[in-house]
Amino acid sequence: MIPRVRRITALCALAAALTACGTASGDRPAPAASPASGAPSSTRPPVLAPGPGGLTPVFEHGPRNRGKTVALTFDADMTADQGPRAASGEHFDNPGLIGALRALKVPATVFMTGRWADQYPAEARDLGRDPRFEVANHSWSHYAFTADCYGLPTVDAGRMREDVQRAYTSLRAAGVPHPMPYFRFPGGCYDQRALRALSGLGVTAVQWDVVSGDAFATDADAVVKQVLDGVGPGSVVVMHCTRSAAPTTERVVRTVVPELRRRGYRFVKVSELIGQTGTAR
């Protein structure tokens, strides 16, 4: 979750809270490759080339000179130790938001934790098979990959790679046929050690350049203003899809989408923005 924005070495935002998406059924998309699977694919999503020494590459926004495109992204968070809250009836999905995106015909990228996919396999499967959406990796545990990341528990350096791989296992087990080779760090917090730990997995770490401020927000108008003021060509907007911790997001989307379209913007998935960059492959 993202209660406020700050910049360390990279953008870090997300508090220790839960978010998630709920969906109705959708159609199966065209095949796409997934990292570390060993399975060939006729259509491979674009990724950024690794950095020096094979360091995991980081993507924040698309080209600023390729027209008015914007990617809406939604984090589906659930930490490893929050199962009892779900069992007691707390809702981490948001079918209304997903329904709004479908009604507005807006493509989106959902960064899903493996723990959430384990809890809501039907919703994960429906998102993964709906061609309007692409499902990417948000770790299994939603524990932070750095210290001092908004109160989140931390993953030991030796288990970071395993946490990402476990998330892909959960996504596939839930029925997501082709999870994307994109990874969003919990809290958006990372450092060189974390990037090195994930080297060789074939993932591109996806950050953002526009923080919506929807986490825990009660004033939808304030969130709308923050998004509209921040969006530029190639922007990646981070939002959340949960009824319990981001209750205004559906209203925000229903306002932001028509206004950005009025301003000439076209909505795309993260994969399209990555594919437009000069270092994509």
Side-chain angles (χ1 to χ4, degrees), residues 253-270:
V253 164
R254 290 186 180 276
T255 302
V256 162
V257 167
E259 175 58 23
L260 286 176
R261 280 178 170 153
R262 187 189 69 80
R263 297 181 184 186
Y265 280 90
R266 179 173 65 90
F267 293 94
V268 300
K269 302 171 190 175
V270 164

Side-chain angles (χ1 to χ4, degrees), residues 34-128:
S34 52
S37 67
S41 172
S42 58
T43 305
R44 294 190 176 275
V47 293
L48 296 185
L55 204 66
T56 300
V58 180
F59 176 79
E60 292 186 359
H61 61 78
R64 302 302 195 186
N65 59 353
R66 293 287 191 92
K68 291 185 172 182
T69 55
V70 58
L72 301 185
T73 70
F74 298 88
D75 290 354
D77 305 342
M78 188 171 181
T79 59
D81 56 354
Q82 290 171 331
R85 290 172 59 174
S88 68
E90 184 170 351
H91 292 285
F92 307 127
D93 60 347
N94 193 339
L97 170 61
I98 300 304
L101 291 168
R102 284 177 168 142
L104 292 165
K105 295 181 171 54
V106 178
T109 303
V110 178
F111 289 88
M112 186 180 294
T113 64
R115 180 63 186 86
W116 190 89
D118 291 345
Q119 184 74 33
Y120 301 104
E123 289 91 339
R125 179 175 61 252
D126 287 340
L127 277 167

Side-chain angles (χ1 to χ4, degrees), residues 15 30-31 41 58 61 68 86 107 115-116 140 152 162 172 191-192 199 204 214 218 246 261 281:
S41 172
V58 180
H61 61 78
K68 291 185 172 182
R115 180 63 186 86
W116 190 89
W140 185 85
L152 286 171
E162 175 188 344
R172 295 189 187 98
D191 54 20
Q192 292 293 300
S199 295
T204 293
D214 66 336
T218 57
R261 280 178 170 153
R281 61 190 180 98

